[in-house]
Amino acid sequence: MAALKYAGLEDTDSEEELPPGWEERTTKDGWVYYANHLEEKTQWEHPKSGRRKRVAGDLPYGWEQETDESGQVYFVDHINKRTTYLDPRLAFTVEDNPVKPTTRQKYDGNSTAMEILQGRDLSGKVVIITGANSGIGFETAKSFALHGAYVILACRNMSRGNDAVQRILMEWHKAKVEAMTLDLASLHSVQHFAEAFKSKNVPLHILICNAAIFGAPWCLTEDDLESTFQVNHLGHFYLVQLLEDVLRHSSPARVVVVSSESHRFTEIKDSSGKLDFSLLSPPKKEYWAMLAYNRSKLCNILFSNELNRRLSPHGVTSNAVHPGNMMYSSIHRNWWVYTLLFTLARPFTKSMQQGAATTVYCATAPELEGLGGMYFNNCCRCPPSREAQSAVAAAALWELSEGLLRRRAGRRGP
Ligand SMILES: NC(=O)c1ccc[n+]([C@@H]2O[C@H](COP(=O)([O-])OP(=O)(O)OC[C@H]3O[C@@H](n4cnc5c(N)ncnc54)[C@H](OP(=O)(O)O)[C@@H]3O)[C@@H](O)[C@H]2O)c1
């Protein structure tokens, strides 16, 4: 009891009664979240019962939903001429409770992707992996292909992509692998890739958002966005939007977003607590490559959480992963200092096969079927940073990303 009291969770009559400092709110699309005013954090689970809920049904007659300038939803009662932040439907909520994994942890930081898939037959499964021509993405692709899946390597450079396909075929000539062009720094290319994939008329069971750039010098993409933000986050966001219908039709389907522990060393809100676009896609004079990468990796987790919230009712789940620290892939290539640091760390870091393990685990583990909105490291669920857990930040990032896509569509005209 003392521990409960210390945590601000004193015993009250009802399990549903909120502890002091907590407030129940809803998002635009009716999901309930909980705001802790003392710690300034939000979460999906009820602080006492751990349950997730969403409101059922429409607003009562005469009520309307609006959004204030900080993105918070409020409600207008036109009949009684009053406004409130309290959703009148909160009295009629339904539970949305994915069962948490209960099995003992089978794998750890030493496990490899091939070990995780040992004995599995993935024939019939279709997998897309972005940035699969090198590093962790390549090992992920190879592991799936050697277990029978049809794997599409989505690569920006076709000659590197085809070379990766050949390397897999050399290991097993019957592997079903193919490279397709996808440049995440170009929304046009993402659209083109999605159209080309859809024209194949195949399902999509696993989508791995793996590609990233790190330590890149400042540069704007053809869509006028800072390249780290676009490649690591927005390009993947757009890809998932375009493939959402295929994922839904292929359910149960899983998305895995490859993030990093470096998401912990940053935030993406300004001093007033609002999501700040200029932090995400900064001008040249405010750009620091490392910070841009960390922010994009925070976006990866927020995106995965929000995606899971939106699509899990339709059989598509999403989890984010940290593959490992300072693994010697090609990620360090942008500056010789990074190359030196990664070389020095190399004897102590994971192999690429070990780096691919957590991604493969999240994409295939039977005990994770239907479960998402989590963050994994070393094949084990772990809490991401407080900022990465924020339901409000996740919803705001989603809206901002949608806005950027709309802006681009508007520029291109009908
Ligand atoms: N290595 C680590 O220590 C580490 C640690 C934490 C997290 N991670 C994460 O792990 C993931 C994989 O990284 P990695 O270490 O395997 O690095 P990597 O070997 O550099 O792989 C990155 C891949 O992304 C591709 N890519 C880059 N820009 C692209 C674009 N515009 N469009 C499409 N693809 C693009 C690269 O293609 P090209 O070959 O054509 O450039 C490459 O295939 C990344 O999300 C990274 O953030 C890595």
Side-chain angles (χ1 to χ4, degrees):
M1 290 309 294
L4 276 178
K5 191 169 181 197
Y6 182 69
L9 302 176
E10 287 107 313
D11 197 23
T12 52
D13 291 346
S14 151
E15 219 197 355
E16 286 304 308
E17 198 173 311
L18 286 170
W22 287 85
E23 195 192 341
E24 200 172 31
R25 293 185 188 157
T26 47
T27 62
K28 249 185 187 169
D29 49 356
W31 290 78
V32 179
Y33 67 93
Y34 300 89
N36 182 329
H37 294 293
L38 305 175
E39 293 182 27
E40 293 183 3
K41 67 172 190 179
T42 55
Q43 62 186 49
W44 295 114
E45 290 88 11
H46 188 288
K48 278 170 82 183
S49 68
R51 292 192 187 111
R52 289 182 185 211
K53 294 190 290 183
R54 64 198 148 80
V55 293
D58 297 327
L59 285 169
Y61 177 72
W63 285 76
E64 215 174 6
Q65 184 179 281
E66 301 279 353
T67 312
D68 68 15
E69 75 260 5
S70 68
Q72 205 177 316
V73 174
Y74 66 96
F75 301 86
V76 186
D77 174 358
H78 289 290
I79 295 170
N80 296 308
K81 307 256 177 300
R82 64 190 175 117
T83 58
T84 169
Y85 281 98
L86 211 64
D87 190 325
R89 294 166 300 175
L90 274 172
F92 311 100
T93 52
V94 288
E95 262 187 54
D96 183 78
N97 261 343
V99 191
K100 300 279 180 260
T102 49
T103 43
R104 200 171 56 83
Q105 189 188 349
K106 288 191 221 151
Y107 305 104
D108 59 23
N110 292 318
S111 307
T112 64
M114 292 296 274
E115 277 166 13
I116 286 168
L117 293 177
Q118 194 177 21
R120 299 286 301 270
D121 177 7
L122 299 180
S123 40
K125 296 279 180 209
V126 182
V127 186
I128 294 179
I129 303 167
T130 67
N133 57 279
S134 67
I136 298 160
F138 174 74
E139 288 302 326
T140 308
K142 187 179 87 181
S143 308
F144 282 130
L146 297 186
H147 286 84
Y150 167 32
V151 183
I152 291 172
L153 287 71
C155 306
R156 67 172 154 174
N157 180 306
M158 265 319 256
S159 115
R160 284 199 284 265
N162 285 329
D163 179 58
V165 166
Q166 287 313 315
R167 280 187 280 146
I168 295 173
L169 288 174
M170 265 160 51
E171 296 219 12
W172 187 37
H173 71 284
K174 285 187 179 166
K176 283 192 247 152
V177 271
E178 183 185 346
M180 286 177 68
T181 310
L182 168 71
D183 182 357
L184 291 156
S186 155
L187 295 176
H188 177 73
S189 167
V190 176
Q191 193 177 348
H192 195 263
F193 172 87
E195 282 163 8
F197 174 75
K198 284 180 172 180
S199 71
K200 291 178 183 292
N201 277 322
V202 291
L204 176 58
H205 304 105
I206 298 171
L207 171 59
I208 313 279
C209 299
N210 162 82
I213 48 173
F214 163 79
W218 185 87
C219 103
L220 282 185
T221 64
E222 64 184 37
D223 302 295
D224 274 344
L225 293 164
E226 189 282 311
S227 60
T228 308
F229 170 69
Q230 178 159 346
V231 172
N232 298 8
H233 167 66
L234 194 73
H236 283 126
F237 178 85
Y238 191 34
L239 181 65
V240 172
Q241 299 260 308
L242 295 173
L243 297 180
E244 181 184 325
D245 51 343
V246 193
L247 284 164
R248 281 191 194 212
H249 286 129
S250 317
S251 78
R254 300 190 193 187
V255 177
V256 180
V257 186
V258 184
S259 175
S260 166
E261 277 292 275
S262 65
H263 81 273
R264 297 189 191 277
F265 308 119
T266 187
E267 47 179 57
I268 50 175
K269 289 193 199 134
D270 64 17
S271 51
S272 68
K274 241 177 114 182
L275 197 66
D276 188 348
F277 174 64
S278 68
L279 294 178
L280 293 173
S281 177
K284 190 172 183 178
K285 60 178 175 7
E286 283 157 31
Y287 179 74
W288 183 30
M290 187 67 115
L291 202 53
Y293 177 77
N294 296 350
R295 285 179 176 145
S296 72
K297 293 288 127 181
L298 174 56
C299 289
N300 287 159
I301 302 178
L302 292 169
F303 165 53
S304 170
N305 289 347
E306 183 67 7
L307 178 67
N308 184 70
R309 191 177 69 76
R310 286 168 182 254
L311 290 197
S312 54
H314 307 284
V316 183
T317 53
S318 177
N319 286 300
V321 304
H322 168 64
N325 298 322
M326 294 185 77
M327 285 164 294
Y328 200 83
S329 58
S330 332
I331 200 132
H332 52 78
R333 75 190 113 166
N334 277 314
W335 192 26
W336 66 268
V337 176
Y338 295 137
T339 305
L340 178 67
L341 290 174
F342 275 68
T343 309
L344 293 173
R346 194 170 182 177
F348 313 102
T349 59
K350 288 183 182 180
S351 68
M352 288 302 116
Q353 257 294 315
Q354 289 168 328
T358 306
T359 300
V360 166
Y361 175 73
C362 285
T364 58
E367 62 270 28
L368 295 183
E369 192 64 66
L371 298 179
M374 296 179 274
Y375 175 67
F376 286 81
N377 183 4
N378 292 330
C379 301
C380 180
R381 185 186 181 188
C382 68
S385 70
R386 181 189 286 182
E387 177 111 1
Q389 292 177 44
S390 164
V392 173
L397 177 68
W398 188 280
E399 238 175 75
L400 183 143
S401 307
E402 272 183 339
L404 290 172
L405 298 182
R406 273 197 303 274
R407 188 186 76 177
R408 168 194 174 257
R411 267 200 212 154
R412 282 175 58 235

